Amino acid sequence: MAAAATNPAEPSTSSSCLSNGTSTPAENLSPTNLEIVSLSKLSSHLERLLLDAADPGFTDADVSVHGGAHVGVHRCILAARSRVFRDLFSASAAGAPSGSRPRYAAAELLPPGARLGKEAFMVFLGYVYTGKLRPAPPEAATCVDPVCAHDACRPAIAFAVEMMYAAHAFDVPELVSLFQRRLLNFVDKTLVEDVIPIVVVAFHAKLHQLLDHCIQRIARSDLDNVSLEKELPCEVVVEIKSTRRKFPGASCDAPAVDPIREKGIRRIHGALDSDDVELVKLLLTESDVTLDHAAALHYAAAYCDSKIVAEVLELGLADINLKNERGYTPLHVAAMRREPAVIVSLLDKGASVSETTADGQDAVSICRRLTRAKDYYAKIIQGQESSKDRICIDILEREMNRSPMACEDSVTSVVLADNLQAKLLYLENRVGFARLLFPAEAKVAMEIAHAEPYSEFANRNAARSSANLREVDLNETPSVQNKRLRTRVDALTRTVELGRRYFPHCSQVLDRLMSDDAPDLFHLQKGTPDEQKIKRMRFCELKEDVRKAFSKDKAAPGHPSFCSSSSSSSSQKGDAKQHRAATRK
């Protein structure tokens, strides 16, 4: 009998490739290794089935997710892997018309207000089908802030939260455990505002360890009670307030609260919630509480319809650039909300786009940090509504370019200076690595951005570099110092943006490098001989990664002509020789 034909594109069923690259017949494998090979092949075949799910002929049901997308699924696989799916399919099969294709809504299985996008659902399905967890798609889990490391920004957190909702709702306990650890890692690294979605998912999924950690973080922060009450479950708010009272000296340090004034503020907020600006005007005449006392413009920018924001602005009774207790203007709050109509209303009435928060963030950078790359870089189709996030950034950037005060530094606090120092150190390190790994291209980008190279980068470790950046002329005022730092930060930021635009693959390599132990690689002569050997090997691997990335960038359509001088190994060697010769001189 003739032997059965095999598909050359598939792994052979009679042999297996071991770690040394040799092929071993299946009969020579131990039972354990044979089981591993079989499971690996089964996983890869099921993954192919998932990738082919776009063809309705291979699937027998659809699941609708956030955004209106429909994902084809195989009910038999999902029912075998999840009790929730099994019960769902069993209940719906009884009353379904014969021959009809069932459709299920993921939102019906999630807590109120929770969302599950297509990208997260596809990663979740990948695990259910194959037992392997794929990494998050960069376009769905990274923001568009050019200096963000993407390790704790809002898109990264939002993706992990969606995965947690899926794991909990569809009863996959091992994924719940995994993403609880990831979310725990986010809590101490991110801004306190970004902890709120983590609190909500921890509450709904009954993740007590994660919830307790979030409560401790928020209780120690300056997040106001209004935000807590508007955005968190009441049980969590009670626990946060109780925890705050337990802190040493909390009762002594807390400012005295005037109950009459507090009542007046709440009544104004209630009138805004009711969309009743006439009632707001009446309340202002009946008490000494003003719109500024109640931070009414901040409240409206965060929670009210854009029409109400415009009506409050028409009253002309609020300071449009007033900073609340956390150092945010109404425009900062609107940037967090990302509602274009609210932003335009504020700008039209004179909101300053150059105002910064205590940590040096302006409205544009706030909006960029919250916006997914997918939403910002999505192709705009004629007749289709554009992403609100992208519109907000475009509006704020145009206003920033138009405003003559955009480059003025109006904040002189020590906190701002410290954050500028940290951002400047990050940018210096990143651009320094760019100069080392592809010097010709980095030089052109820095010339266009008017960023002078920091000559001491390669000769000092991170700690000494930080100390150098913090050196201050005693005759230099804080405002002059901040302006000097901001000018340098702007120039280096522009350099990074040019790199991301013209060298996206190389920029991805630098992103990974900067999120690891980047500064240590510069000091190849430090450490034990074994440590030096490991560093040199990693450095060679890094250069190879950059060479490959540069080749991809150069081959990309629309690559600019000024980048024709590549950063291949030969050009790097030439630049290195010139550098050594100059050093000897």
Side-chain angles (χ1 to χ4, degrees), residues 379-501:
K379 183 179 180 180
I380 300 177
I381 302 175
Q382 187 175 2
Q384 181 176 331
E385 184 177 353
S386 300
S387 164
K388 284 188 175 182
D389 295 357
R390 178 172 181 168
I391 294 174
C392 290
I393 293 174
D394 289 345
I395 291 170
L396 291 168
E397 286 185 337
R398 282 196 294 270
E399 182 66 17
M400 181 72 80
N401 293 331
R402 187 188 67 83
S403 173
M405 299 296 292
C407 296
E408 293 293 330
D409 188 357
S410 59
V411 180
T412 61
S413 68
V414 176
V415 175
L416 173 57
D418 286 345
N419 280 276
L420 279 177
Q421 301 277 12
K423 181 179 287 188
L424 181 57
L425 180 59
Y426 172 89
L427 290 169
E428 293 285 9
N429 285 350
R430 183 188 175 92
V431 174
F433 269 106
R435 291 174 57 212
L436 181 66
L437 297 173
F438 38 101
E441 295 72 35
K443 180 180 178 181
V444 173
M446 294 183 72
E447 287 177 353
I448 294 175
H450 304 292
E452 292 294 327
Y454 181 49
S455 59
E456 294 182 327
F457 174 84
N459 300 323
R460 297 187 177 212
N461 58 28
R464 294 189 64 189
S465 296
S466 178
N468 180 78
L469 292 172
R470 291 176 179 272
E471 289 179 2
V472 180
D473 185 352
L474 295 179
N475 295 321
E476 189 179 54
T477 64
S479 61
V480 173
Q481 179 194 4
N482 287 339
K483 186 172 183 179
R484 173 175 58 83
L485 294 177
R486 180 59 63 83
T487 301
R488 179 64 174 164
V489 165
D490 290 344
L492 291 175
T493 299
R494 174 64 173 158
T495 303
V496 172
E497 290 174 344
L498 286 170
R500 291 191 189 280
R501 179 178 178 183

Side-chain angles (χ1 to χ4, degrees), residues 14 92 103 153 184 227 435-436 448 461 504 530 533 544 549:
S14 62
S92 62
R103 176 169 293 176
C153 56
L184 277 168
S227 299
R435 291 174 57 212
L436 181 66
I448 294 175
N461 58 28
D530 289 339
K533 182 178 179 180
E544 179 64 14

Side-chain angles (χ1 to χ4, degrees), residues 97-112:
S98 177
S100 63
R101 182 180 176 88
R103 176 169 293 176
Y104 306 92
E108 295 179 358
L109 300 174
L110 301 176

